[in-house]
Amino acid sequence: MNIVVVGAGHGGTTIAADLKLKGHKVNLLKTSKSLHNEHFNFLKEHNGEVDIIENDKTSSVQIDLITTDIELALKDTELVIVYVQTNFHEQIINRLLPYLSPDHIVLLEPGYLSTAYFLKHSPNFEFTVVEAQSSPIDCRIINPGTVKVLFKNVRNPVAIYQNEVKDLKLVKSKLDSLDYNFEYLETIIEAALHNPNLIVHTIGGIMSMPRIEFTKGDYWMYKEVFTPHVWNMVESLDDEKMNVLEAIGANRVPYVDACKNRNAVDLSINSKEAFLHYAKNSSPHGPVRADSRFITEDVPEGLVLLESLGSTLGIKTPTCTGLINIANASLSIDFRESGRTVDRLGLENIKKIIGTRTKQVLV
């Protein structure tokens, strides 16, 4: 399949290399100069050559096209995989829209309900949008031109949205050709709110600030922060998330169960133990700074979204609200001002995404 990966950071480069190993034609598009410039320049100077390390084995691949030209990157492609921080999704979606054809599939890794931005800026779009819970691969750029796979999900839940009824079998067939063991959810909002970063990045990042600053970044959040009392916060925030999901007609699936489903081969094991096993053995180093994207992305794009949905549905979210307030005070930023709210996404767009499943009326 002809694929363009939008975003040349850790996830985008690794997915591009992984898909190239699998035999796909892959273009890699960089959309800004804010991060990973040395790495991107290395790729351009070396004709797209990437070393990808997995299980101590190094493979070399050559990405077909390395570019900052959106029109050129999307030309003759079938699948667009967006690996850009969700803070910038609305901006990137506006830039992509002129070059998307009705036959394109756009896969957001992850989405946080960004399908609403497509509806907001192109209400009658004809292409297919797919939102993922999380990236299929945990990975890092370890040197310019070299990426390392830390962990691959066993299963990857996604949800498909179409304005018009199209051939779902064909869409799923193309997605399945990526060999990421996709599971198909009933509605986009399940993928959005089951994004694990909404729970663990926000609580983990906020509660890690003293250790990050004390150790000057020599820190492993997943291994250190989720002590019994911090875990109480995880369960409290998770309960608020499930209350919102239940109100819009989705199933109450705890964070640890969703985590186990993504990460564990053996689904009979204890869900919390599955998370702790990942945290101890497969999780990445960091964050290395207090104002990491664990907070600057997942608070405004995740927690503010959850709080706003809860407010619209009349559901209290005190833990969520408290975490936002702490993040605001700690970093001297009003994340609600820039965050993902029902108003910013568009209430009518959210209603359209949810469809007839809503148990409570969104007003």
Side-chain angles (χ1 to χ4, degrees):
M1 186 161 45
N2 291 347
I3 301 167
V4 55
V5 178
V6 181
H10 301 290
T13 306
T14 306
I15 285 287
D18 187 66
L19 291 172
K20 189 63 186 175
L21 273 176
K22 293 173 179 175
H24 298 281
K25 183 179 179 183
V26 183
N27 299 340
L28 185 62
L29 171 67
K30 196 174 194 302
T31 57
S32 78
K33 295 181 179 180
S34 60
L35 293 169
H36 307 299
N37 295 315
E38 182 183 3
H39 166 70
F40 185 73
N41 290 335
F42 180 94
L43 297 183
K44 288 186 69 176
E45 292 166 4
H46 292 80
N47 298 313
E49 186 173 318
V50 180
D51 287 338
I52 179 170
I53 303 170
E54 183 176 1
N55 297 326
D56 297 323
K57 176 185 176 183
T58 301
S59 302
S60 294
V61 299
Q62 193 163 10
I63 306 300
D64 294 279
L65 175 67
I66 305 293
T67 186
T68 58
D69 185 323
I70 294 178
E71 182 176 11
L72 182 62
L74 267 67
K75 185 179 180 181
D76 299 325
T77 58
E78 304 160 75
L79 175 65
V80 181
I81 305 179
V82 178
Y83 261 98
V84 176
Q85 287 187 34
T86 50
N87 311 64
F88 305 107
H89 272 192
E90 186 170 17
Q91 175 187 338
I92 294 300
I93 285 166
N94 268 320
R95 293 174 64 188
L96 292 174
L97 278 170
Y99 308 106
L100 292 173
S101 74
D103 294 328
H104 266 121
I105 301 168
V106 182
L107 171 59
L108 303 169
E109 289 283 1
Y112 270 148
L113 212 57
S114 286
T115 301
Y117 287 137
F118 284 105
L119 290 166
K120 178 179 177 179
H121 296 288
S122 183
N124 300 312
F125 70 79
E126 298 179 13
F127 47 85
T128 298
V129 178
V130 184
E131 288 201 26
Q133 282 185 9
S134 68
S135 171
I137 304 177
D138 276 359
C139 52
R140 288 291 183 271
I141 298 168
I142 59 172
N143 287 303
T146 302
V147 294
K148 184 173 183 178
V149 174
L150 304 176
F151 181 82
K152 281 187 174 179
N153 287 353
V154 178
R155 303 168 197 85
N156 289 286
V158 298
I160 298 171
Y161 182 86
Q162 296 176 322
N163 256 334
E164 300 178 0
V165 177
K166 291 192 172 186
D167 189 344
L168 275 178
K169 282 189 176 180
L170 177 60
V171 172
K172 290 180 179 179
S173 173
K174 289 186 175 184
L175 291 170
D176 290 342
S177 74
L178 305 183
D179 193 28
Y180 288 135
N181 299 317
F182 288 126
E183 295 183 341
Y184 296 97
L185 303 168
E186 291 188 37
T187 176
I188 290 288
I189 203 161
E190 290 179 86
L193 293 186
H194 282 303
N195 180 339
N197 299 344
L198 186 154
I199 303 290
V200 291
H201 275 190
T202 57
I203 291 176
I206 290 167
M207 300 304 292
S208 294
M209 286 185 187
R211 283 286 292 159
I212 294 169
E213 293 177 331
F214 180 77
T215 64
K216 295 180 170 54
D218 183 16
Y219 180 62
W220 297 75
M221 184 196 80
Y222 280 92
K223 293 182 182 181
E224 295 189 40
V225 79
F226 294 107
T227 60
H229 288 91
V230 173
W231 194 258
N232 289 341
M233 297 173 64
V234 170
E235 292 183 338
S236 179
L237 179 61
D238 195 37
D239 191 58
E240 294 173 4
K241 177 203 72 181
M242 289 190 290
N243 289 341
V244 169
L245 282 167
E246 187 174 46
I248 55 98
N251 294 325
R252 294 181 67 89
V253 179
Y255 165 78
V256 288
D257 288 353
C259 176
K260 178 176 72 173
N261 182 61
R262 288 189 300 270
N263 296 346
V265 175
D266 180 6
L267 293 178
S268 68
I269 64 174
N270 178 275
S271 295
K272 185 176 177 182
E273 289 178 3
F275 169 79
L276 294 175
H277 182 271
Y278 163 78
K280 180 180 178 181
N281 298 292
S282 303
S283 62
H285 174 258
V288 298
R289 49 189 293 171
D291 61 344
S292 73
R293 62 183 289 187
F294 285 25
I295 298 176
T296 59
E297 178 179 8
D298 293 304
V299 170
E301 307 306 312
L303 291 188
V304 171
L305 173 62
L306 178 61
E307 180 188 58
S308 183
L309 286 168
S311 177
T312 303
L313 291 162
I315 295 172
K316 294 180 179 179
T317 56
T319 300
C320 180
T321 295
L323 287 164
I324 297 169
N325 291 340
I326 294 170
N328 286 351
S330 298
L331 300 186
S332 300
I333 298 172
D334 184 354
F335 286 114
R336 291 185 181 89
E337 185 177 338
S338 63
R340 191 170 294 219
T341 62
V342 169
D343 286 345
R344 184 165 286 113
L345 293 169
L347 179 58
E348 293 305 314
N349 298 328
I350 296 173
K351 286 182 178 179
K352 193 172 182 181
I353 290 167
I354 295 171
T356 58
R357 293 170 57 90
T358 312
K359 291 181 180 178
Q360 294 191 23
V361 179
L362 285 163
V363 294

